[in-house]
């Protein structure tokens, strides 16, 4: 069986988000938005992992749909942190393609599972 791309990408993204959270908390003393980012950014992979062992197809679809919502929320927090100058444009541009790819993959998985 091949590599589970969304599982790998969502986990690696979660690691990146943890690193970004640590930087925001220690260097910028920003705790509220960065905590929200930490929650949503790590929740994506958790839901993907839960979906992997879903008890039924509807359960799988539900968990993956939650992962889509968490990814969308993460995108929001990244944009807000950028627009409020807590993260610079370079950092934002580093994370933006990653979350966009994850969202596209998740949406595609949910659509395929529903068919």
């Amino acid at each position: 069986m091949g590599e589970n791309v969304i599982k790998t990408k969502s986990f690696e993204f979660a690691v990146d988000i943890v690193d970004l959270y640590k930087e925001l908390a220690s260097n910028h003393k920003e705790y509220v938005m960065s905590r929200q980012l930490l929650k949503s950014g790590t929740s994506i992979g958790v839901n993907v992992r839960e979906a992997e062992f879903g008890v039924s197809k509807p359960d799988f679809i539900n968990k993956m749909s939650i992962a889509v919502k968490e990814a969308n929320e993460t995108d929001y927090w990244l944009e807000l942190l950028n627009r409020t100058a807590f993260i610079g444009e370079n950092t934002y541009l580093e994370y933006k393609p990653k979350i966009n790819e994850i969202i596209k993959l998740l949406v595609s998985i949910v659509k395929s599972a529903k068919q």
Side-chain angles (χ1 to χ4, degrees):
M1 194 159 141
E3 176 190 15
N4 185 331
V5 175
I6 191 60
K7 182 178 171 183
T8 301
K9 287 188 180 293
S10 62
F11 183 81
E12 291 302 321
F13 185 76
V15 171
D16 291 344
I17 289 295
V18 170
D19 291 341
L20 181 57
Y21 170 77
K22 289 191 287 190
E23 179 186 330
L24 286 165
S26 65
N27 295 343
H28 299 282
K29 304 299 184 219
E30 199 305 304
Y31 302 104
V32 177
M33 291 183 290
S34 59
R35 181 109 173 108
Q36 292 296 122
L37 175 69
L38 179 67
K39 286 180 176 183
S40 64
T42 56
S43 180
I44 301 163
V46 170
N47 282 287
V48 167
R49 290 275 180 107
E50 286 184 18
E52 186 177 28
F53 293 101
V55 294
S56 64
K57 190 171 185 176
D59 186 35
F60 174 84
I61 292 168
N62 181 54
K63 294 294 188 217
M64 286 300 210
S65 295
I66 292 169
V68 172
K69 290 179 181 182
E70 295 293 337
N72 188 50
E73 181 181 340
T74 301
D75 186 39
Y76 172 85
W77 290 118
L78 287 168
E79 186 175 343
L80 185 60
L81 285 161
N82 176 245
R83 294 280 302 272
T84 56
F86 281 102
I87 62 173
E89 193 69 17
N90 289 340
T91 301
Y92 178 69
L93 293 175
E94 176 186 339
Y95 284 84
K96 184 65 175 167
K98 293 177 185 181
I99 194 61
N100 283 346
E101 182 181 18
I102 288 170
I103 290 170
K104 286 178 185 176
L105 284 168
L106 289 167
V107 167
S108 177
I109 290 166
V110 170
K111 283 181 179 178
S112 293
K114 286 182 177 180
Q115 292 176 350

